[in-house]
């Protein structure tokens, strides 16, 4: 199943994507896509709901982030062997973990704000894992039992803030709108192999990234298990799993986003995003 959240920012409602691609209002069954409602068993029960019985939602409605109540937005760095090579970095012996502020989360088609003082705002399409139930000290074999589903993530990065301003990566990853999420939360049954998904990203119609999750160094199940050894993972937490090659900083010469640029990105089966970059006020 594919779930969405639609409506004005801060007032989104839950929705279901029917077989025709239309959105149906789910607010008569759940209050939002958060907490207990995204437990894998709870999502499975919604399969018994006849989409035709749900109110149709206008196609003009704004789409919000596909999950609410995110407490942690956890990112994995240098998790594609071919991306590490393009940046001249060595593949790490254990996953690189950093946090993106939850205030960076935005809808998949909202404007992307280039922050004040930015000269190196960069793009990164990534597979997102949405946690559906509390996970703590889980094994790799059981890790997927704790996953609600998957989504498309744009892990926008300001490279100068990230690597040239001292300290940790977080401040280069957490600017407002630097975490477009969705459009869909896609349940696990529709993603039989998360390690066989194509990811792509275009800027102004030009393909920049065209990769596959096959080249991830640390796979989905491993990452959920690994992270759960250090912190409990809670329903609504997002894990952004790294990006394939083709980012702006890896180009010769490097290329970065500027106001007016249009960024389109997506993952096979998980939906696409479209943002227009503009300068933050």
């Amino acid at each position: 199943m594919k779930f969405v959240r639609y409506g004005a920012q801060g007032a989104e409602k839950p929705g279901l994507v029917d077989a025709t691609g239309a959105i149906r209002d789910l607010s008569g069954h759940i209050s939002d896509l958060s907490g207990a409602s995204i437990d894998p068993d709870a999502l499975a029960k919604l399969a018994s709901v006849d989409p035709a019985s749900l109110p149709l939602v206008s196609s003009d409605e704004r789409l919000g982030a596909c999950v609410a109540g995110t407490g942690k937005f956890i990112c994995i760095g240098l998790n594609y062997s071919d991306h590490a090579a393009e940046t001249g970095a060595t593949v790490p012996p254990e996953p690189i973990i950093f946090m993106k502020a939850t205030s960076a989360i935005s809808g998949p088609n909202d404007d992307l704000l280039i922050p004040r003082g930015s000269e190196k705002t960069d793009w990164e399409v990534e597979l997102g894992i949405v946690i559906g139930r509390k996970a703590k000290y889980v094994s790799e074999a059981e890790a997927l039992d704790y996953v609600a589903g998957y989504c498309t993530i744009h892990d926008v990065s300001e490279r100068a803030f990230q690597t040239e301003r001292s300290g940790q990566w977080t401040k280069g990853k957490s600017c407002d709108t630097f975490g477009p999420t969705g459009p869909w939360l896609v349940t696990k049954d529709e993603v039989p192999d998360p390690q066989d998904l194509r990811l792509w990203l275009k800027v102004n119609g030009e393909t920049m990234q065209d990769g596959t999750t096959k080249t991830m160094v640390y796979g989905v199940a491993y990452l959920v298990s690994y992270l759960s050894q250090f912190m409990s993972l809670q329903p609504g937490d997002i894990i952004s799993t790294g990006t394939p090659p083709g980012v702006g900083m890896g180009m010769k010469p490097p290329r970065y986003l500027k106001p007016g640029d249009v960024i389109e990105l997506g993952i096979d089966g998980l939906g696409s995003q479209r943002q227009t970059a503009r300068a933050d006020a």
Side-chain angles (χ1 to χ4, degrees):
M1 292 179 290
K2 297 181 178 71
F3 297 96
V4 299
R5 297 174 67 249
Y6 69 92
Q9 190 167 7
E12 293 92 347
K13 295 180 180 180
L16 173 70
V17 181
D18 69 17
T20 70
I23 297 174
R24 300 283 180 161
D25 180 19
L26 261 181
S27 58
H29 293 267
I30 56 173
S31 60
D32 208 344
L33 288 164
S34 62
S37 71
I38 60 169
D39 181 281
D41 292 339
L43 291 179
K45 288 179 181 178
L46 290 173
S48 64
V49 177
D50 179 8
S53 69
L54 302 173
L56 191 62
V57 175
S58 170
S59 60
D60 294 331
E61 286 279 3
R62 168 189 173 270
L63 295 182
C66 62
V67 62
T70 298
K72 295 190 289 296
F73 197 147
I74 308 166
C75 299
I76 309 299
L78 298 176
N79 195 32
Y80 282 70
S81 55
D82 38 8
H83 170 57
E86 77 169 341
T87 62
T90 301
V91 173
E94 292 190 38
I96 293 174
I97 302 170
F98 60 92
M99 296 291 192
K100 184 185 284 281
T102 56
S103 55
I105 296 173
S106 60
N109 303 317
D110 291 344
D111 285 349
L112 193 162
L113 302 180
I114 297 177
R116 291 182 184 178
S118 169
E119 295 181 354
K120 297 182 179 181
T121 295
D122 203 350
W123 54 83
E124 295 186 37
V125 59
E126 305 200 0
L127 171 65
I129 307 166
V130 178
I131 298 298
R133 59 172 63 123
K134 181 179 177 180
K136 186 174 183 179
Y137 301 132
V138 302
S139 69
E140 187 172 353
E142 64 182 343
L144 297 188
D145 294 341
Y146 298 84
V147 173
Y150 305 98
C151 64
T152 300
I153 298 286
H154 190 185
D155 175 23
V156 187
S157 308
E158 211 300 334
R159 300 302 188 185
F161 295 179
Q162 177 187 355
T163 63
E164 300 172 21
R165 296 282 296 271
S166 185
Q168 299 180 339
W169 289 4
T170 303
K171 61 178 173 285
K173 297 283 189 171
S174 296
C175 303
D176 291 351
T177 75
F178 270 27
T181 301
W184 306 326
L185 169 58
V186 181
T187 52
K188 291 178 294 184
D189 58 296
E190 293 204 14
V191 187
D193 185 1
Q195 305 309 145
D196 189 16
L197 298 172
R198 175 176 170 258
L199 310 85
W200 58 271
L201 182 145
K202 299 179 181 180
V203 178
N204 300 327
E206 180 182 354
T207 297
M208 300 299 181
Q209 293 184 275
D210 189 358
T212 170
T213 56
K214 290 179 180 179
T215 66
M216 284 172 61
V217 178
Y218 301 105
V220 168
Y222 181 89
L223 289 172
V224 172
S225 172
Y226 180 84
L227 290 167
S228 78
Q229 310 306 311
F230 303 101
M231 65 191 84
S232 63
L233 303 174
Q234 304 290 337
D237 285 353
I238 297 169
I239 304 169
S240 199
T241 57
T243 198
V247 299
M249 71 177 294
M251 295 182 174
K252 295 181 174 37
R255 176 173 170 181
Y256 298 110
L257 296 172
K258 60 185 184 301
D261 284 345
V262 175
I263 308 96
E264 299 169 281
L265 61 143
I267 301 176
D268 287 355
L270 303 185
S272 60
Q273 304 182 357
R274 185 182 190 277
Q275 296 115 32
T276 300
R278 65 178 179 86
D280 200 359

